[in-house]
Amino acid sequence: MDFTFTEEQQAAVEAAKAVFSGVTPDAVPSPALTPGAVADDFDRPLWSRLATADLLGIVLDPEHGGAGLDTIALCLVLRESARVLARVPLLETSAVAMTIQRYADVHTAAELLPRVARGELVLTAASNGRTGHDPAELAVTAHRDGSGWILDGLQSAVPWAHSADRIAVPAHTPKGRTVLALLPRTHPGLTLAEQYSTSGELLAELRLDSVRLDTTDVIDTDGAWNWLHGVLTTGTCALALGLGENVLTMTSRYTGKREQFGHPVATFQAVAVQTADRYIDLRAMEVTLWQAAWRISSGAGGPLPSAADIAVAKIWASEGVRRVVQTAQHLHGGFGADTEYPLHRYHAWAKQLELALGPAAAHEETLGDLLAAHPLG
């Protein structure tokens, strides 16, 4: 096994660190003190800096103005973004753009992807379904109507939808197939209602009432939605890892300075054991993340489909990031709940990431189904 990142991937990390170095987690009001959304839009100045650094097209082919890198490189950049709670739709835009590049027709890709690389086009995806517990592709119906498609249904908790230019919406056909609609944010028959995430971000409930789309706005290729869902889930694991690593660093610094009985609390055995356990969680989150990202990037086979590796990564990400922030709150004492200290913001984001794209239990069910369908010899 070779866990060494390529020079191009390492260069992407350095570029990301430079861009995110000036970002602070408290750039918007605290979600604990804000009844609604912490902001009406994402961090547009940061988005422009990401475009200038060529990080928005990192996973796009050079013909579209990108760097031609893979899911691993994207996850490395996402990991850095989560350390500072960067408020940008980097995961959603990149994942949808990769899906367009892989599954859409060449004309749609040529029209949309160069604009993504330049930071002119923002993309997001409806992956929550109606309730967050049912498959997203079953929440909307799609049927042919002449030369186009008609979509009806509801999707909840769509991130960045009020700011995105296109929303990738999975929908099922009468024959049980799944198509992926690239829905403009403003379109006849589409209404967006405000919802709010645990982290205080503005989400949207999408209601589609006989929304008519041309065939050029619908990806009718088998596997497109499953592939997009896999990239979104893996990217969420990368965000959880970056957030957890920074929280553990904050905890180490605090317990190294906080004294009781004349000694730093970090020297107490109970504290050391808890932080060591959380370090193990993070390393498990990391190795399962890279396994999943590598399976997506390489297309390599295995005893189980790549969906199994993605499920394992999300199980570790969901449970691991929860344990990391809970331990951090415990070891910080009351200071961890201080709204002038950033830890409570990380806790809110961690809870959002834990449940996004399904909690650990949902992915355990997926893994069980895959093991039943592919018995290991």
Side-chain angles (χ1 to χ4, degrees), residues 10-25:
Q10 292 173 353
V13 172
E14 294 305 315
K17 287 181 177 179
V19 172
F20 294 125
S21 62
V23 179
T24 58

Side-chain angles (χ1 to χ4, degrees), residues 31-308:
L33 304 176
T34 308
V38 295
D40 294 330
D41 199 1
F42 61 85
D43 191 338
R44 294 279 181 175
L46 176 58
W47 193 250
S48 297
R49 295 198 296 273
L50 288 167
T52 302
D54 295 326
L55 289 173
L56 297 183
I58 190 174
V59 292
L60 300 180
D61 291 339
E63 64 187 275
H64 301 306
L69 299 185
D70 56 12
T71 310
I72 296 174
L74 173 61
C75 288
L76 286 166
V77 175
L78 291 170
R79 181 188 191 178
E80 297 302 320
S81 74
R83 296 182 192 275
V84 295
L85 306 184
R87 300 181 53 262
V88 286
L90 180 58
L91 167 58
E92 294 80 7
T93 294
S94 299
V96 175
M98 293 172 74
T99 307
I100 292 172
Q101 179 172 265
R102 186 181 180 96
Y103 291 99
D105 64 75
V106 293
H107 301 292
T108 299
E111 176 191 354
L112 300 179
L113 298 184
R115 297 172 60 198
V116 171
R118 295 193 298 266
E120 300 169 358
L121 193 72
V122 178
L123 307 174
T124 191
S127 58
N128 196 61
R130 296 178 66 92
T131 65
H133 299 287
D134 53 334
E137 62 271 21
L138 300 183
V140 175
T141 62
H143 65 271
R144 283 278 196 174
D145 183 63
S147 60
W149 291 84
I150 301 294
L151 277 69
D152 289 276
L154 181 148
Q155 289 274 1
S156 66
V158 182
W160 316 111
H162 291 278
S163 304
D165 300 291
R166 293 284 187 115
I167 306 167
V169 180
H172 68 281
T173 70
K175 295 183 178 180
R177 297 179 60 247
T178 299
V179 298
L180 191 62
L182 302 176
L183 186 61
R185 183 182 74 251
T186 55
H187 196 79
L190 172 66
T191 56
L192 276 66
E194 292 187 353
Q195 295 179 314
Y196 310 107
S197 71
T198 304
S199 55
E201 296 298 335
L202 181 62
L203 307 177
E205 179 188 78
L206 272 61
R207 290 188 178 271
L208 296 86
D209 183 10
S210 298
V211 172
R212 180 181 295 273
L213 292 176
D214 295 332
T215 55
T216 55
D217 292 326
V218 178
I219 301 176
D220 186 18
T221 307
D222 289 336
W225 165 242
N226 287 338
W227 197 83
L228 172 57
H229 189 271
V231 176
L232 288 169
T233 305
T234 305
T236 302
C237 297
L239 293 171
L241 176 62
L243 184 151
E245 288 176 327
N246 199 56
V247 167
L248 187 60
T249 299
M250 292 169 59
T251 305
S252 298
R253 290 173 178 168
Y254 178 79
T255 56
K257 296 185 298 181
R258 178 77 166 89
E259 291 190 0
Q260 284 189 351
F261 311 111
H263 299 280
V265 296
T267 62
F268 299 167
Q269 186 178 31
V271 173
V273 168
Q274 290 183 71
T275 53
D277 285 343
R278 299 298 77 82
Y279 177 82
I280 293 172
D281 278 335
L282 290 171
R283 297 290 68 79
M285 291 166 62
E286 182 176 17
V287 70
T288 54
L289 163 64
W290 300 135
Q291 172 70 9
W294 173 74
R295 287 292 301 274
I296 292 173
S297 300
S298 66
L304 293 175
S306 60

